[in-house]
Amino acid sequence: MKNNIKYISTRGQSKELGFKDVIFEGLASDGGLYIPNEWPIIDEKTLSSFKSLSYQEIAYEVIKLYIDDSISSQDLRDIIEKSYSCFDHKDITPLSKIADNKYLLELYHGPTYAFKDVAMQFISQLMDYYLSENNKTINILGATSGDTGAAAIEGFKSVQSSRVFILHPYQKISEVQRKFMTTVKSDNIFNIAIKGSFDDCQNIIKEIFSDEDFKKSKNLTAINSINWARIMCQMVYYFYTFSRIDTVDKKVLFSVPTGNFGDILAGYIAKKMGLKIDMLNIATNDNDILTRTLNSGKHELRKVKETSSPSIDIQISSNFERLLFDIIGDPAVVSDLMIELKTTGTYELDDEILDKIREHFCSFSVNQDEVNSTIINAYENLKTIIDPHTSVALASSEKCTDEYNLQVILSTAHPAKFKDTVMNLLNNDNFVTDKVKSIMNMKEEMIILENDVNMVKKLLREEIV
Ligand SMILES: *Cc1c(COP(=O)(O)O)cnc(C)c1O
């Protein structure tokens, strides 16, 4: 690929990098996140040509714009092809119509039943490609609120040049989520349960990565949703949606169950690249920090509450920093806000910034009763079984104004991944697949650690020699 695209840090203190380095670097050394120095635009003619392309071909057209000469166009096509060969639906992310002008975008057809597979399958293939070029090995470190870990483990389990260390909050994810990770038997996989919340896990990762010497000596790389490649892969299904639904004269809203702000940020970037998205709804559960931010401008951390949608039980929405950078445009301002958040647990956005955000985003939070009744209602009236995260997005979309006469709900996980919650509500277990039934009986392996960065570092020192 011949693009000249470069990546810069949202905090402005790290040097510009090319695509390959950004993928392996993860978090920038100044604490910021990498973002392209400009947004490539896809013109209308090209967009309408997507109608006759497969998911994989659309993926190629979108992803190629972000990649430089570190990879040839045929190799990129091959990587995309391999990445999606393990999905159980030929359309990869099929759309299903659930009501007039309302669709579910099914993102759970990958091997671990959540949308994280869409990016992680690609990233593992891509890293394997780069590593085998020069016979290198890497150690991958990530925190998961339940789904990223499984997707990473699945993607990397047969990448011999890698070791994978995944932190999850002990006893705070669903049993099926945990089993998808802990039943994978491979010498290069380490499951670490931390006695704390997802935010604690994420903070441990951030702290380890801010220790530049440790990171270098242990050759660590991150695959959290802070990794640029994740966002890049997730843009594709927004383009796919527009290629398959007639959006002429429609006001289009996407409703996205949001935790770390990666999935919905991908929609925002797709819009910047030319897609006619009118509104992006940040759907939240009781952990409603982003809803409060959009309402009042005050971004204030509170204690994480446990809900039936654990993948979005998050207060620290890392990717929101990328949006702030894009809206504000000044890395020094972003940097100040992030330092303020870290030291005081809060920052405030002024009206000018807030108005710019509200041009693209709205946000509604839903409580546990609403999530439950929406699952029941979808089953009884829309003949569809949805998981609690999809339910957050659907329930939240119902609070948006009806000027948006075409709504796409991101269905981010298969209901079987949260089978106990869904079974209890519907008195039905037909949706539990054989795959889930079989992993329930498999032996698990994991290491349980206190919420202490030094314990994790000690483990890494022992395992990476
Ligand atoms: C990760 C996840 C989300 C949230 O996505 P973010 O990019 O973190 O906002 C929503 N639903 C499910 C099922 C997830 O696994």
Side-chain angles (χ1 to χ4, degrees), residues 66-188:
Y66 289 97
I67 297 188
D68 49 26
D69 60 7
S70 62
I71 188 162
S72 76
S73 96
Q74 190 53 47
D75 287 340
L76 178 60
R77 283 188 194 276
D78 291 346
I79 290 171
I80 291 172
E81 207 51 52
K82 263 196 232 158
S83 303
Y84 299 115
S85 60
C86 58
F87 277 56
D88 69 12
H89 195 290
K90 67 174 179 17
D91 297 336
I92 313 303
T93 62
L95 285 149
S96 66
K97 190 167 183 167
I98 52 167
D100 284 348
N101 296 326
K102 211 163 208 153
Y103 293 81
L104 289 184
L105 177 58
E106 297 178 4
L107 301 176
Y108 52 73
H109 290 278
T112 70
Y113 285 18
F115 83 88
K116 305 298 199 297
D117 286 322
V118 175
M120 211 54 83
Q121 283 296 321
F122 177 86
I123 292 178
S124 54
Q125 296 292 338
L126 181 74
M127 286 190 172
D128 196 19
Y129 170 85
Y130 283 135
L131 291 168
S132 54
E133 261 185 339
N134 34 18
N135 264 323
K136 278 194 154 163
T137 59
I138 42 160
N139 298 301
I140 288 164
L141 184 58
T144 184
S145 60
D147 296 321
T148 292
I153 288 168
E154 184 63 32
F156 283 97
K157 69 181 181 193
S158 46
V159 176
Q160 284 312 318
S161 47
S162 71
R163 281 195 201 86
V164 183
F165 299 86
I166 298 293
L167 275 55
H168 75 259
Y170 182 55
Q171 291 182 337
K172 292 202 171 64
I173 63 177
S174 88
E175 190 183 7
V176 181
Q177 283 183 308
R178 192 187 70 237
K179 296 230 176 188
F180 261 116
M181 299 194 283
T182 56
T183 60
V184 173
K185 275 185 201 50
S186 189
D187 291 344
N188 66 334

Side-chain angles (χ1 to χ4, degrees), residues 143-376:
T144 184
S145 60
D147 296 321
T148 292
I153 288 168
E154 184 63 32
F156 283 97
K157 69 181 181 193
S158 46
V159 176
Q160 284 312 318
S161 47
S162 71
R163 281 195 201 86
V164 183
F165 299 86
I166 298 293
L167 275 55
H168 75 259
Y170 182 55
Q171 291 182 337
K172 292 202 171 64
I173 63 177
S174 88
E175 190 183 7
V176 181
Q177 283 183 308
R178 192 187 70 237
K179 296 230 176 188
F180 261 116
M181 299 194 283
T182 56
T183 60
V184 173
K185 275 185 201 50
S186 189
D187 291 344
N188 66 334
I189 303 294
F190 299 85
N191 277 292
I192 304 162
I194 297 288
K195 292 188 180 168
S197 67
F198 168 70
D199 288 334
D200 294 327
C201 296
Q202 194 162 242
N203 282 334
I204 290 176
I205 304 281
K206 282 186 182 163
E207 209 167 319
I208 292 177
F209 276 100
S210 67
D211 181 345
E212 206 53 29
D213 293 338
F214 188 77
K215 177 183 162 186
K216 283 238 161 59
S217 72
K218 296 296 172 202
N219 198 14
L220 294 175
T221 198
I223 41 76
N224 287 10
S225 65
I226 54 175
N227 194 307
W228 169 252
R230 302 245 331 238
I231 311 287
M232 182 181 78
C233 292
Q234 288 161 198
M235 288 174 207
V236 175
Y237 40 75
Y238 290 89
F239 286 95
Y240 172 82
T241 300
F242 271 73
S243 77
R244 296 306 193 263
I245 299 181
D246 183 6
T247 55
V248 176
D249 295 333
K250 298 281 189 200
K251 288 195 91 173
V252 182
L253 172 134
F254 281 85
S255 185
V256 187
T258 295
N260 231 335
F261 206 75
D263 212 8
I264 197 164
L265 180 77
Y268 171 74
I269 296 172
K271 180 175 182 178
K272 298 216 103 182
M273 292 171 71
L275 221 46
K276 294 209 161 40
I277 298 172
D278 291 286
M279 192 49 79
L280 291 153
N281 177 43
I282 307 168
T284 59
N285 61 21
D286 284 326
N287 298 288
D288 61 351
I289 180 166
L290 292 174
T291 307
R292 288 184 278 112
T293 305
L294 256 79
N295 285 340
S296 71
K298 193 162 184 202
H299 189 81
E300 183 191 23
L301 297 180
R302 293 188 186 158
K303 223 173 131 43
V304 180
K305 282 195 204 147
E306 283 177 46
T307 73
S308 64
S309 42
S311 305
I312 55 173
D313 287 347
I314 291 177
Q315 289 288 315
I316 303 168
S317 265
S318 303
N319 277 297
F320 198 64
E321 178 170 347
R322 283 191 166 111
L323 176 69
L324 290 178
F325 177 75
D326 192 68
I327 298 268
I328 297 170
D330 182 350
V333 177
V334 175
S335 205
D336 286 348
L337 289 173
M338 292 305 134
I339 290 166
E340 202 179 326
L341 182 66
K342 179 133 199 181
T343 48
T344 67
T346 176
Y347 61 70
E348 209 153 338
L349 299 174
D350 65 35
D351 285 345
E352 196 191 333
I353 296 171
L354 208 51
D355 284 344
K356 282 192 193 160
I357 293 176
R358 288 181 186 142
E359 273 174 37
H360 308 280
F361 295 93
C362 59
S363 183
F364 295 93
S365 76
V366 292
N367 65 31
Q368 198 61 61
D369 287 344
E370 291 169 312
V371 173
N372 291 345
S373 63
T374 301
I375 292 175
I376 294 169

